[in-house]
Amino acid sequence: MPGMVLFGRRWAIASDDLVFPGFFELFLRVLWWIGILTLYLMHREKLDCAGGVLLSSYLIVLIVLLAVVICTVSAIVCVSMKGTICNPGPRKSMPKLLYIRLALFLPEMVWASLGAAWVADGVQCDKAVVNGIIATVVVSWIIIAATVVTIIIVFDPLGGKMAPYSSAGPSHLDSHDSSQLFNGLKTAATSVWETRIKLLCCCIGKDDHTRVAFSSTAELFSTYFSDTDLVPSDIAAGLALLHQQQDNIRNNQEPNEVISHSPGPSQEADLDTELENCHHYMQFAAAAYGWPLYVYRNPFTGLCKIGGDCCRSRTTEYDLVGGDQLNCHFGSILQTTGLQYRDFIHISFHDKVYELPFLVALDHRKESVVVAVRGTMSLQDILTDLSAESEILDVECEVQDRMAHKGISQAARYVYRRLINDGILSQAFSIAPEYQLVIVGHSLGAGAAALLAIMLRTSYPQVRCYAFSPPRGLLSKSLYEYSKNFIVSLVLGKDVIPRLSVTNLEDLKRRILRVIAHCNKPKYKILLQGCRYEVFGGSPDNFPTELEGGGQTDLTQPLLGEQSLLTHWSPAYSFSSDSPLDSPPRYPPLYPPGRIIHLEEQGTSGRFGCCSAAQYSAKWSHEAEFSKILIGPKMLTDHMPDILMRALDSVVSDRAACVSCPAQGVSNVDTG
């Protein structure tokens, strides 16, 4: 629901967010009250001492004050449990209760200060009583400090600007005022987000690329978050509801609806070949991460195997690859790829905004020159990921619409300049002129590898690219079709990154708004049942994801409750021509690169994929199958490179074992 308005400003907390913190405070307060009451009743006769009257008065007043606080908190919890996210009517008394609760902090602070002063005054009373009173004073200050921290956390820097308009509908504003209001809020939101990002990334320097990335990231966050009147717990509840809804829809689908686009004969024929290539080249994509991933994958033996390289002084072989600070990295790369140091042309772990680490090696087994680009591993890489606006890709090809993700395009351009201008590729092909160029990468590195392959295709027409878990928001539709000729992408399960784009995030936001508006349960029940479902599973049929008396068809039209969760000057509220902003979209739809192999899990191996070995099947998939973000426990773990490597190992070994039973192999491809 909309954030609460207190003291004339909006806060990042709703009136139905106080159930769990209220219960927690109530639990502590009741225990504290019982402890103080017990202390007073059992030791009041020992307060007949110098200063004892003050301590006795302190305990009596504290008992009464705590009783009043407990009653107030109980009322807050009871009121917070009423209504639903979009129906705050039953909670209209919440602001008054909070004013009362906050007013009680003043006497609490005063009394805690007096108690501290009286105890410090050297009273001559029983030591156990004095220690007990000291404990009550300490607890008082701990609770006061926790309250101050909570207020800081839920403080919304934009609340003062949004509160005056929180109840004003579009009828109160003409188009000019609405446009001015939206632009003003958007500018303020961008400034706030840029300040937050600069504080978070204060250690990464302030060059031109970094400043551009700060501005671009702030623009993205302000665009996405500033046009809804949601608090963080609303989003959490919406994600829990969406997960249940998706599972419910999938369970109710007919078998022919579950099977995706049927692959063509040529695609079926080369699936095994491309899977084997993916299995081989994924080692290079993993090696580009250096020693952190290697040690993570080999926690017991990794440090022992590369420890000597970490301490070894720089030798001739490191100069041969033109790298710097490679000791631990070089050892892990050799272990991961199984190559010798002389097989590497260049290794770079230079890492800045729009500048990614990469390696170039000679793969004699596949007779290829491999360029592997590292994925996200630093704040600089995250800023590159979040520079999500589009720019024209400067390449020579017959494609007219050449839009691409700006941050990843800049990173690919940096690697391109290093490969060409520094003569790295020339050096590689002077050693092995008959080899083929292959570019690989995982995650951010996959997106950069795909764009790099497009840039290099004019000079190297036989270039191939294997993009592992690439981001969806990468290429325009025309470039996506063009890339199918030489790029293969591999996606595991519900991995969120190949489904992640600004367009899909907007779709996710609208779906969250819609499912919240359709829900008829209080938020605390949604969160409790959602946590239980995520951890233990269960039937999604018992979850409130539909309107009472309505079906899934009702989810196609906005509800009044859904509209109330959007600011009425938001472009997401309406895509009609009367929107305050008529400029072209800053974030047009973008698509993943190349043909896509999807590894789907068969059955279940536990909610978080850590209980037993999962079984996977492989199939060619259309990009439309990744047009929505899927919610689930594995949406993040399926993106991890070690999980992807294990899945590839399983699929390749299973398909190799089925070579002698072609009927089973064909069935596996068709039904995925």
Side-chain angles (χ1 to χ4, degrees), residues 589-609:
L590 296 177
Y591 301 86
R595 297 181 297 159
I596 303 173
I597 298 176
H598 189 199
L599 303 184
E600 289 186 305
E601 184 177 350
Q602 303 299 294
T604 178
S605 61
R607 301 294 288 176
F608 295 93

Side-chain angles (χ1 to χ4, degrees), residues 295-318:
V295 172
Y296 177 76
R297 292 180 59 211
N298 304 274
F300 301 109
T301 61
L303 286 176
C304 297
K305 291 182 178 179
I306 67 173
D309 293 309
C310 295
C311 303
R312 185 181 304 164
S313 60
R314 189 181 179 96
T315 55
T316 306
E317 56 263 30
Y318 291 92

